[in-house]
Amino acid sequence: MINSVLVKPSGPDCNLRCNYCFYRQKAGLFEGKYHRMSDRVLEALISQCMDLGVTTFSWQGGEPALMGLDFFQRVVELEIRYGSPGATVANAFQTNGTLLDSDWARFLGDYNFLVGLSIDGPAHLHDHYRRDAAGKGTHSRVMEAARLLKLHGVEFNILVLVNDVNVKEPDVVWDFFRENEFSFLQFVPCVEPGGKGKAAPFSVTPEEYGEFLITVFDRWVEDFPNVSVRDFDDLLAHELGMPPGTCTVSQQCGSYVVIEHNGDVFVCDFFVMSRWRLGNILQTPLAEIIKSEKFGEFARNKSNLGSACRSCEYLEWCYGGCQKHRVVLGGPVTAPSYFCKSYKMLFSHALPKIPQLAQRLRLMGRA
């Protein structure tokens, strides 16, 4: 049974032209030049999810703010209409921030949306890739969005795509976020295929990412427990006997599905492709779609590990990592993750320190 849905209301459409974006190419899967979710699809989505007891919605893109504020006001109306009395509905909203204004921030605060704001670091690092259609950097606009979110009491975290540029300056990245009092951080490593079995130029190497993680981990420990970093929080959760917060290091996939603007359902954000299309909610109820053998196959593939993973001392800390990172350069799903070396570097460095940090949380009554 899924516990959330990741929704793409504007499909792969975005007002930015970030060179490293993996989702823009998905436009070829869908008809038309522009992709927008209709009210019919939206109502079917929310009503079917509520019937399943799924009350966590993550709105992503592309750029979901392209839908306009009226669309999300309609989202809330439908959640209220189809929700059970007393039910709590959680909405997350991942955005590049450039379209947010005071009205957006007020709405997001009023309805307790958890916002993910994409910032790759200070301006010289962020603007290297995160540019608009005119080729202009977006850093100042994103920082203004952050100011507005703080002003209106919106809970938000920062999503950092670690690429070949900012990976070289981990201390600069960390200092920037702490100076701006950003305390909830997610670091997502960038790797996309570049042809002939090699990674695209903007990708990070496993060694680079490993060194980045180690440096950031040490800075995190210095400031512990004042900053949340998703990868490190997962290490603490494991030590405390709690489930991880991310699917990357879970034993099995299948905790959510992706629903595109036209109602198509896919197994995962990274596997929006014909091979892993499960159906369409206008044709088949979501309750039936998630029972499909194809979805079960994908979920089980997380545990389909090769000998290198099965014999690894760190297996229980990552369970082979993200499926995308196993197959991204053309290998089989049983192959080790592209970032296998990165995680081994991190685990070797960090795991001896995790028990002490976990004990500190216990003594503080936070675990």
Side-chain angles (χ1 to χ4, degrees):
M1 174 65 70
I2 61 173
N3 54 37
S4 65
V5 290
L6 193 161
V7 189
K8 305 277 191 174
S10 56
D13 295 356
C14 187
N15 60 317
L16 301 191
R17 295 296 180 269
C18 308
N19 288 350
Y20 54 45
C21 180
F22 77 95
Y23 213 76
R24 283 175 56 199
Q25 61 184 302
K26 304 301 180 182
L29 292 171
F30 310 108
E31 295 180 356
K33 183 177 180 181
Y34 300 104
H35 310 92
R36 300 290 185 271
M37 181 171 284
S38 67
D39 191 71
R40 181 186 178 207
V41 173
L42 178 62
E43 186 164 1
L45 159 67
I46 292 177
S47 64
Q48 291 181 33
C49 284
M50 293 297 193
D51 284 344
L52 279 170
V54 176
T55 57
T56 299
F57 300 87
S58 296
W59 306 91
Q60 295 192 14
E63 174 50 52
L66 287 172
M67 296 301 298
L69 191 51
D70 288 348
F71 175 86
F72 286 95
Q73 290 170 335
R74 176 66 170 158
V75 165
V76 173
E77 291 172 4
L78 290 170
E79 289 173 346
I80 293 171
R81 178 191 301 178
Y82 289 103
S84 302
T88 298
V89 178
N91 288 289
F93 186 83
Q94 181 62 46
T95 178
N96 62 46
T98 61
L99 299 177
L100 302 189
D101 57 17
S102 293
D103 289 338
W104 268 106
R106 188 177 300 108
F107 168 83
L108 295 167
D110 286 347
Y111 291 100
N112 298 313
F113 275 59
L114 172 62
V115 174
L117 190 62
S118 294
I119 308 178
D120 286 352
H124 74 282
L125 298 177
H126 177 95
D127 287 344
H128 188 88
Y129 286 120
R130 300 194 67 80
R131 298 173 176 268
D132 62 20
K136 295 181 179 179
T138 59
H139 190 266
S140 61
R141 282 173 276 175
V142 181
M143 292 302 291
E144 172 61 11
R147 186 190 71 81
L148 291 172
L149 294 174
K150 287 183 178 181
L151 180 65
H152 290 276
V154 180
E155 184 178 352
F156 68 99
N157 56 45
I158 303 298
L159 189 150
V160 186
L161 193 69
V162 183
N163 54 69
D164 65 315
V165 177
N166 60 5
V167 74
K168 297 176 174 64
E169 300 190 50
D171 285 306
V172 172
V173 170
W174 182 266
D175 288 339
F176 170 76
F177 290 132
R178 294 307 291 132
E179 288 165 5
N180 284 279
E181 300 181 341
F182 297 148
S183 300
F184 296 88
L185 309 176
Q186 300 180 33
F187 296 100
V188 179
C190 180
V191 60
E192 296 297 331
K196 298 183 178 179
K198 295 183 179 180
F202 47 71
S203 305
V204 294
T205 69
E207 294 81 4
E208 286 176 328
Y209 187 52
E211 292 293 345
F212 180 92
L213 287 174
I214 288 171
T215 299
V216 172
F217 177 83
D218 288 342
R219 299 297 304 275
W220 175 74
V221 170
E222 291 173 0
D223 210 5
F224 186 83
N226 298 318
V227 186
S228 168
V229 176
R230 188 174 63 174
D231 287 307
F232 310 150
D233 289 347
D234 280 343
L235 299 183
L236 281 172
H238 184 282
E239 179 66 23
L240 294 167
M242 301 164 59
T246 62
C247 53
T248 301
V249 294
S250 298
Q251 285 185 269
Q252 184 168 301
C253 293
S255 62
Y256 77 96
V257 291
V258 175
I259 302 182
E260 261 287 349
H261 66 287
N262 63 348
D264 282 352
V265 182
F266 296 87
V267 295
C268 171
D269 190 29
F270 294 126
F271 290 86
V272 174
M273 54 187 69
S274 298
R275 164 73 175 88
W276 292 111
R277 180 182 178 274
L278 300 176
N280 186 288
I281 60 172
L282 297 182
Q283 300 163 359
T284 308
L286 185 60
E288 293 183 26
I289 288 175
I290 61 175
K291 293 177 182 178
S292 70
E293 174 54 32
K294 185 182 289 189
F295 189 41
E297 176 191 354
F298 178 79
R300 292 189 299 271
N301 274 347
K302 181 71 160 67
S303 302
N304 190 7
L305 304 172
S307 58
C309 287
R310 292 197 303 270
S311 62
C312 179
E313 63 180 307
Y314 300 120
L315 174 60
E316 66 179 43
W317 293 90
C318 77
Y319 294 104
C322 178
Q323 289 193 50
K324 173 190 174 177
H325 296 153
R326 301 184 204 169
V327 303
V328 65
L329 299 186
V333 74
T334 54
S337 166
Y338 174 83
F339 291 110
C340 177
K341 185 172 184 178
S342 312
Y343 294 123
K344 285 182 176 179
M345 292 169 66
L346 173 65
F347 296 155
S348 175
H349 180 79
L351 291 186
K353 305 174 185 179
I354 290 296
Q356 180 182 358
L357 298 175
Q359 181 61 16
R360 285 174 60 184
L361 288 182
R362 293 188 187 99
L363 293 174
M364 296 169 66
R366 295 174 58 174

